[in-house]
Amino acid sequence: MGKGAPLLRLEGVSKCYGATVAVDALSLDIPHNEFFALLGPSGCGKTSLMRLIAGFETPDKGRVFLDGLDITDLPPHLRPVNMMFQSYALFPHMSVAKNIAFGLRQEGRTRKEIFARVEDMLRLVQLPGLGDRRPDQLSGGQRQRVALGRALVKRPKLLLLDEPLAALDRKLRHETQFELMQAQRETGTSFVVVTHDQDEAMVMAHRMAVMRAGQIVQIGSPREIYEEPTSRHVAGFVGETNFFEGRVIQYMPGGVVLETSKGLRLESFCRDHPVIGTRVTISVRPENMRLSAPGILSSNGGIGEIVDHVFREGMSSFRIRLETGDIVHLRQNQGEGVLSFDRGMRVFVSFAPEHARALVR
């Protein structure tokens, strides 16, 4: 993955709707055989970017290349790109098999080839033997798989997925994430999923791009973006985190010492080298915060009171109000001695400097 020329290349692509800049001079490479996610809040430009790739919109500036060919001005039906819509858009009067075969029939493929490809797709999307059913005889998850089979049966070089799991319940979403990952591996088709759901992107994507105001603000693997955010926006959007704001008062090896407006002195790892007095934000993930009895004081933290303690998916989650008034979120495994802590108790909350990130932006 990632060797040689990219499958998709966007060079300085821009798109405006009146005075609104939807995509702003954006460049991006996506290699062959990659599951890629465009992640961001509503209005960040991710859907507009997907429509530019699909050919439903033409960029005001910039070029779009697919497998080395300039497809900027090609209409959607001439691009080796397919799209799976959030609504699935299945034909209700057609059987599952006919829905999947629709694009092949439009291309004039032989009956033998259509039958063989449809059977392959039914196997791939785990619907063998259901080809004769209509969409209204299927569950929501099964309809989603029919839509996936229809999108892949023409063997596109690139598949675009627009919020593909939004209509499914939580448990089914989790199951379908792995089905999409398996389909991508088996076909070798590059998938680009557009979503505002960070968990969805974190689970499925090899790489992801976080978008804001029509631009990509950070791109990398899910682990890189979660553990090494480059800005406060990314740290706050991808996963839960705790923020501490203040000014740099001194340096330490590999990081800085920050003093907040409420008197906390905190040490943090920092990739940059901000000058003394620079305002920075420290980001600490809840699982990197630690609890101890208030009499056992250590550096890099403060005293507070447990406001809430809940059990969720094998983890104890705490909400703690520090004496400074800051609210801190903390999450730890049940086996880490947290059972002795409960709501109303006074505790000391701290973190190791190497588990925090001081962000200048």
Side-chain angles (χ1 to χ4, degrees):
M1 183 179 65
K3 295 180 180 179
L7 172 66
L8 177 70
R9 167 163 286 173
L10 306 176
E11 293 186 352
V13 171
S14 296
K15 184 65 181 179
C16 298
Y17 301 98
T20 301
V21 180
V23 179
D24 187 7
L26 186 148
S27 295
L28 172 67
D29 283 356
I30 296 177
H32 293 263
N33 194 23
E34 180 170 69
F35 205 131
F36 191 87
L38 292 170
L39 177 67
S42 297
C44 72
K46 60 186 185 297
T47 299
S48 295
L49 183 59
M50 180 183 63
R51 291 177 62 82
L52 290 169
I53 297 170
F56 298 130
E57 302 282 357
T58 302
D60 301 323
K61 296 179 181 178
R63 311 302 293 175
V64 180
F65 297 88
L66 188 69
D67 221 5
L69 298 176
D70 189 338
I71 63 169
T72 309
D73 301 315
L74 277 184
H77 68 279
L78 294 181
R79 301 186 182 202
V81 176
N82 217 335
M83 188 166 175
M84 182 175 154
F85 295 94
Q86 181 178 331
S87 64
Y88 309 149
L90 300 178
F91 299 111
H93 61 288
M94 291 185 183
S95 67
V96 167
K98 288 182 178 179
N99 263 284
I100 293 175
F102 181 79
L104 297 177
R105 291 203 307 272
Q106 294 293 103
E107 290 181 344
R109 303 284 180 170
T110 66
R111 181 176 298 182
K112 181 178 180 181
E113 183 180 5
I114 290 174
F115 177 81
R117 287 215 207 171
V118 169
E119 288 299 304
D120 283 345
M121 282 300 110
L122 288 172
R123 176 197 57 79
L124 178 69
V125 299
Q126 301 179 42
L127 294 175
L130 300 184
D132 292 332
R133 294 193 183 181
R134 294 190 313 274
D136 62 2
Q137 296 174 308
L138 303 177
S139 67
Q142 289 172 328
R143 288 195 292 272
Q144 190 267 356
R145 282 183 257 162
V146 175
L148 177 63
R150 186 178 63 182
L152 287 173
V153 75
K154 291 177 65 175
R155 299 173 182 170
K157 292 184 177 180
L158 181 68
L159 179 63
L160 306 173
L161 302 100
D162 179 19
E163 303 278 3
L165 310 181
L168 305 180
D169 62 46
R170 183 171 180 268
K171 182 178 180 181
L172 194 53
R173 277 202 308 273
H174 288 174
E175 294 172 357
T176 308
Q177 287 169 2
F178 290 99
E179 292 172 0
L180 287 173
M181 293 161 63
Q182 180 179 344
Q184 191 278 322
R185 285 194 301 268
E186 288 195 26
T187 62
T189 303
S190 287
F191 284 18
V192 176
V193 61
V194 170
T195 181
H196 67 276
D197 188 325
Q198 55 183 285
D199 292 331
E200 194 171 290
M202 295 281 286
V203 169
M204 296 192 297
H206 298 137
R207 289 189 307 146
M208 53 197 285
V210 182
M211 292 190 64
R212 184 184 190 189
Q215 297 180 328
I216 291 175
V217 293
Q218 187 171 353
I219 187 168
S221 70
R223 179 181 291 274
E224 288 169 345
I225 288 180
Y226 184 79
E227 295 183 352
E228 302 291 342
T230 56
S231 67
R232 177 177 177 136
H233 171 77
V234 173
F237 188 78
V238 180
E240 187 180 5
T241 196
N242 297 292
F243 288 128
F244 301 93
E245 297 181 353
R247 295 188 182 276
V248 176
I249 58 173
Q250 67 183 77
Y251 302 118
M252 65 176 205
V256 296
V257 180
L258 176 96
E259 184 172 66
T260 73
S261 61
K262 298 172 183 177
L264 284 180
R265 290 170 61 93
L266 303 173
E267 300 176 357
S268 172
F269 172 86
C270 186
R271 287 193 177 278
D272 302 307
H273 196 71
V275 299
I276 300 297
T278 300
R279 290 193 63 82
V280 299
T281 300
I282 291 178
S283 170
V284 191
R285 300 296 185 183
E287 63 272 19
N288 290 326
M289 304 292 293
R290 290 294 175 262
L291 283 179
S292 60
I296 310 174
L297 295 182
S298 61
S299 61
N300 237 35
I303 295 175
E305 178 182 327
I306 297 175
V307 179
D308 290 299
H309 175 200
V310 298
F311 176 77
R312 181 168 54 193
E313 297 181 346
M315 304 284 285
S316 275
S317 295
F318 297 88
R319 195 164 65 97
I320 300 158
R321 180 181 290 109
L322 300 181
E323 290 181 335
T324 59
D326 297 300
I327 297 293
V328 171
H329 295 266
L330 184 149
R331 185 167 57 245
Q332 292 185 8
N333 290 323
Q334 286 294 99
E336 296 181 359
V338 299
L339 293 179
S340 57
F341 296 102
D342 209 345
R343 189 165 63 87
M345 293 182 61
R346 285 175 60 78
V347 292
F348 188 79
V349 186
S350 61
F351 58 88
E354 62 269 23
H355 292 155
R357 295 294 179 267
L359 307 169
V360 178
R361 290 184 289 161

